[in-house]
Amino acid sequence: MSIFIANNYSFRYIRLQNGLCALLISDLNYLDGSPAALSSEEEEEEEEDNDDDESEEESDEDDDSGAEIEDGREGFDDEDCDEGDESEDNDGDNEDFNDPDDSELEELAEKEETRKRGCTEKQSAAALCVAVGSFSDPEDLPGLAHFLEHMVFMGSLKYPDENGFDAFLKKHGGSDNASTDCERTVFQFDVQRKYFKEALDRWAQFFIHPLMIRDAIDREVEAVDSEYQLARPSDANRKEMLFGSLARPGHPMKKFFWGNADTLKHEPKMNNIDTYTRLRDFWQRHYSAHYMTLVVQSKETLDTLEKWVTEIFSEIPNNGLPKPSFGHLTQPFDTPEFHKLYKVVPIRKVHSLSITWALPPQEQYYRYVKPLHYISWLVGHEGKGSVLSFLRKKFWALALYGGNGETGFEQNSTYSIFSISVTLTDEGYKHFYEVAHVVFQYVKMLQKRGPDKRIWEEIQKIEANEFHYQEQTDPVDYVESLCENMQLFQKEDFLTGDQLLFEYKPEIIADALNQLSPQRANLVLLSAANEGQCHLKERWFGTQYSVEDIDKYWSDLWASDFELNQDLHLPEENKYIATDFALKVADCPETEYPVKTLSTQQGCLWYRKDDKFKIPKGYVRFHLISPLIQQSAENIVLFDTFVNILSHNLGEPAYEADVAQLEYKLVAGEHGLIIRVKGFNHKLPLLFQLIIDYLSDFSFTPAVFEMITEQLKKTYFNILIKPETLAKDVRLLILEHGRWSMIDKYQTLMNGLSIESLSSFVKAFKSQLFVEGLVQGNFTSRVSTDFLNYVVQKLQFAPLAHPCPVQFRVVDLPNTHLLCKVKTLNKGDANSEVTVYYQVTALIKLKECEDSHLGEEVDRNWNEVVTQQYLFDRLAREIEALKSVTKSDLVTWFQAHRSNKKKVLSVHVVGYGKHEGDSEVTAVSEVQNSSSGEIPHLIFLPPSSLMTNVTSIKDIKAYTSTLNVLPYHKILK
């Protein structure tokens, strides 16, 4: 047993007699510095709740049986398998463009809703990692590990109800999730603290004695198949499956990790394979206590947590068998098929080049130098002398990602991936071999120079600063990360092994660098322009691709001692690294909420000094409001173009700040430019001033204009082909008076913009503004006013002639059920999207929940500023209002909005498939008008025979023109 203290938590490491290892975390600080103990009021409340629970226990089974079957479980999405994670951030195709569909208000609302999902205090959480994953799938049952991850949660001997655990968590403000990786499977949940012990017992039973009844097999196979269908339209997933298929025969990388109805149901039936029996055998073989690591976090004493864990988890069986091992299967991609050029047709409109090497496993070096982290830091650099800086000046590239994603697919016991993905322009696509050559020149420069201690120490300092002053994370995310760390690192490194650099060993870095030769690289070129040239098809995701030898000129050149590029060099010393971490002394009375410290005709500033979290960080947000933006679809597109060019211009000069943990984001808001910066307060003003300087001196060349507008066409198109974003666009087009649709914007852009129109728009935008700002964190009041003053002085704008409202007017829906049903624009996408909107002026939805870090408080306050409502104590008022709401009030409200007078809008985006009447389902990569340049249009569908008494919308503009428009609405008290 070991006890240690870090990050305001106390920790204890224990090993149970059955071999399970557990890390216990007790909140020491609980934000206000008080010890982790219950007040007498809380004790009384807990006793009452426990009494209630006992009286409800008998009826729980009946209540649970009516619960919905979620997609996997509560909060479970298509990211259920790490190997199939659809996160675009991990995709080299991510052009890092400002998403024109990304509403600042919606982003804030989603953050708040996620944070406050029923909690009354900081949640308790637990996570368990089993050292088995998809690598262990039997050859004749692909996807079995993923399927088992689903099936173990379908009831237990002690709690037999199939959906009882989900229902229990929902009832008590919790959630759960799980993921299957190549060599690990992780389960996690969180819940209100007073129900944590019972939740632990219910959860542990899935590992002690899961029911996994035969009758549930078919139902859960459909859930797995649905996740597979959701994953198919992801270019990141498709590229991974193609990549895995290149592994040599017999290596587990060639397996189909997702599983679907064919592999888990239809094919086993044809081959007389009993999936149920094999599933139970797999569980007994692999879900053994000595394979498991557990982390629990709660506001309990360590002794209490140890007692609970010992009592509950000691029952998990230990089969005594050795863990699965794949370390002997090294070099899976050392094959002639790997070292070639692959062309792939993507779903999205994008050009990208990925250069990938498969290296020996690198996890063993985590304590020393993290060699791939060092290399990716340099290859992915965007400052002077970098690959991306050079390629941008050639107008060949928009973005570059280099490194290892640290998923099981990219880093496991058999190999480690190092990949460099470049988002290309149209011109860059034509010169992709030259782009690859620039990359190889940079890598060769690093090889010749050898590791640089200054660079390594700079990385070490930045990572250490961030670790020592990190803000508290959501407990469920924290325990999930740590239970995996326990599988990878020594005990003393559980908390730090994935974050800190300990010891400089240049020979380890040099060894990894020297393996990155052109002859060992795999090249993948993604582009819609490849359509018609790709006659091969990947089995599981249907990806169209071709394979060819590297062009002889380039293969000969790369085999020789080719010349270095003198424009490529190491980055200079970083001036943005913070060195002053002192907490500032307040220069004005401290307040609970932001106060207005500066107000003029040109703008105003809200300020609050942090007195709660006490960290040397700050948040600065500004909204530059202009009435020009919403005047026409052309103005919106010009504004999107302007903001993306500004972001492009800042890419090189602001990159040093970015790597020094100073974050910034420019958002093309619906009513103005939103500037957000955060990080260590010491150097944060430098970054903010840099952004304002580039805004003040904004300029662009015709080549940059052409590059950005071409990329914006792809961005708009990629938004349109996703069912979920198309549904959102249709819904808002119906509801918001005067809104311009994404199709309107795409058509405007396709019709062409002129350089002169952009110049005129930017000049007009900067000439008249109203600027609102919020400064929070470790700043004095005097320093906070400097931010607004700098904006006013640099931009030299006139005040607005008339106030500019920052909210759209919403149409008044009729008292009926409206339906707008359209076909998805991606002909190969079988997924559908359904949105049901109930129109009601306000519903109390927030519940009391303490902020876990400063950013949550800032988000809430910024929402008040950006909507110009300024009700900073809104949460406290809503909590008080909520306490006065009775059950009778809720029933009355619910019945009123389910009556004949209800105002309901349903939006259906229907996927392609035979069950939808499509005579032939096209390949998944084929998209409506994908390469013809034609404008996609909505195809309206009639209601299904099951939907009676609905009013079907067939022409959105014609229908909404008949509706009244509600007045501007703000909740001010």
Side-chain angles (χ1 to χ4, degrees), residues 302-539:
L302 288 173
D303 288 343
T304 298
L305 291 176
E306 181 172 355
K307 180 182 177 184
W308 291 356
V309 167
T310 303
E311 287 177 356
I312 295 171
F313 291 88
S314 291
E315 295 184 52
I316 298 177
N318 182 333
N319 61 25
L321 298 175
K323 294 180 183 179
S325 176
F326 301 94
H328 61 289
L329 300 173
T330 56
Q331 297 182 332
F333 298 107
D334 191 15
T335 63
E337 290 76 19
F338 183 76
H339 309 297
K340 292 182 182 290
L341 169 65
Y342 286 77
K343 293 182 179 178
V344 182
V345 180
I347 295 293
R348 299 161 66 233
K349 273 198 172 182
V350 68
H351 302 306
S352 80
L353 173 68
S354 295
I355 305 171
T356 305
W357 293 267
L359 309 181
Q362 300 290 307
E363 285 181 345
Q364 59 184 312
Y365 302 125
Y366 79 89
R367 267 205 66 82
Y368 305 112
V369 293
K370 293 186 172 63
L372 298 190
H373 184 45
Y374 172 91
I375 299 169
S376 65
W377 183 281
L378 292 172
V379 171
H381 207 278
E382 299 179 20
K384 292 179 180 178
S386 68
V387 173
L388 185 58
S389 173
F390 181 85
L391 295 177
R392 278 176 170 167
K393 289 169 184 171
K394 288 277 193 178
F395 304 107
W396 286 350
L398 291 157
L400 182 149
Y401 163 80
N404 179 290
E406 297 184 0
T407 63
F409 188 94
E410 296 195 22
Q411 183 150 293
N412 53 62
S413 63
T414 73
Y415 72 93
S416 291
I417 287 295
F418 189 82
S419 183
I420 300 171
S421 295
V422 186
T423 303
L424 303 171
T425 62
D426 291 351
E427 198 64 22
Y429 171 72
K430 298 173 186 175
H431 296 87
F432 75 89
Y433 271 122
E434 286 93 333
V435 171
H437 186 58
V438 173
V439 171
F440 294 145
Q441 285 180 311
Y442 190 86
V443 171
K444 185 175 181 179
M445 179 271 293
L446 295 180
Q447 292 167 341
K448 284 189 170 294
R449 285 188 58 97
D452 188 290
K453 191 173 185 180
R454 174 187 68 84
I455 297 289
W456 189 88
E457 289 179 342
E458 195 171 90
I459 301 171
Q460 183 186 42
K461 183 186 298 184
I462 290 171
E463 303 285 7
N465 288 347
E466 184 60 24
F467 178 80
H468 291 305
Y469 296 102
Q470 64 184 307
E471 299 184 41
Q472 292 188 22
T473 58
D474 190 332
V476 73
D477 295 333
Y478 192 49
V479 296
E480 178 192 5
S481 173
L482 289 180
C483 77
E484 289 196 76
N485 285 1
M486 292 174 71
Q487 298 275 352
L488 299 172
F489 308 136
Q490 297 296 318
K491 181 171 59 180
E492 61 271 22
D493 300 324
F494 287 167
L495 306 184
T496 59
D498 59 341
Q499 297 183 61
L500 298 183
L501 301 178
F502 297 98
E503 187 178 347
Y504 179 62
K505 288 199 171 182
E507 66 276 11
I508 294 177
I509 298 175
D511 181 62
L513 264 174
N514 290 334
Q515 296 184 65
L516 304 183
S517 66
Q519 292 82 2
R520 299 186 61 187
N522 167 268
L523 274 61
V524 176
L525 183 66
L526 266 66
S527 175
N530 294 337
E531 202 164 359
Q533 307 174 35
C534 300
H535 305 296
L536 301 175
K537 184 177 289 189
E538 190 275 323
R539 175 182 178 186

Side-chain angles (χ1 to χ4, degrees), residues 753-929:
L753 298 177
S754 69
I755 291 176
E756 294 72 24
S757 64
L758 178 60
S759 297
S760 298
F761 174 83
V762 173
K763 182 178 180 181
F765 172 82
K766 293 200 297 180
S767 66
Q768 281 191 306
L769 296 167
F770 185 79
V771 177
E772 288 195 278
L774 171 68
V775 176
Q776 276 196 241
N778 191 35
F779 291 111
T780 63
S781 174
R782 183 188 61 79
V783 170
S784 73
T785 59
D786 292 343
F787 288 100
L788 179 58
N789 288 334
Y790 195 82
V791 175
V792 174
Q793 291 166 10
K794 285 293 293 187
L795 299 185
Q796 294 292 308
F797 56 89
L800 296 180
H802 304 285
C804 177
V806 294
Q807 290 185 332
F808 285 101
R809 296 182 69 184
V810 178
V811 298
D812 187 9
L813 296 181
N815 295 318
T816 188
H817 190 160
L818 299 176
L819 170 67
C820 187
K821 187 175 180 180
V822 300
K823 199 73 172 173
T824 185
L825 300 181
N826 183 348
K827 289 185 177 180
D829 195 344
N831 298 302
S832 298
E833 176 83 10
V834 174
T835 302
V836 182
Y837 168 86
Y838 286 82
Q839 191 170 68
V840 300
T841 54
L843 169 66
I844 296 172
K845 62 179 180 180
L846 301 183
K847 299 179 183 179
E848 188 175 10
C849 182
E850 289 203 51
D851 299 315
S852 63
H853 59 84
L854 180 57
E856 292 180 343
E857 181 184 322
V858 173
D859 282 341
R860 190 169 56 253
N861 290 334
W862 179 241
N863 187 63
E864 298 298 325
V865 174
V866 83
T867 59
Q868 297 183 338
Q869 298 186 86
Y870 316 118
L871 197 66
F872 298 108
D873 63 345
R874 183 185 306 273
L875 181 59
R877 297 190 188 204
E878 287 178 338
I879 290 168
E880 288 305 310
L882 187 61
K883 288 177 180 177
S884 68
V885 175
T886 65
K887 180 178 180 180
S888 175
D889 293 334
L890 287 175
V891 171
T892 301
W893 180 90
F894 183 77
Q895 290 176 340
H897 291 92
R898 294 285 291 176
S899 67
N900 292 332
K901 294 185 178 180
K902 65 180 179 291
K903 300 182 177 185
V904 183
L905 169 64
S906 293
V907 177
H908 296 184
V909 176
V910 182
Y912 278 79
K914 292 181 180 178
H915 55 286
E916 291 295 340
D918 299 307
S919 57
E920 183 178 347
V921 182
T922 60
V924 72
S925 61
E926 293 186 15
V927 177
Q928 185 189 102
N929 305 314

Side-chain angles (χ1 to χ4, degrees), residues 588-601:
C588 65
E590 292 186 352
T591 58
E592 186 175 0
Y593 301 108
V595 295
K596 189 183 291 187
T597 57
L598 192 59
S599 181
T600 69
Q601 286 186 315

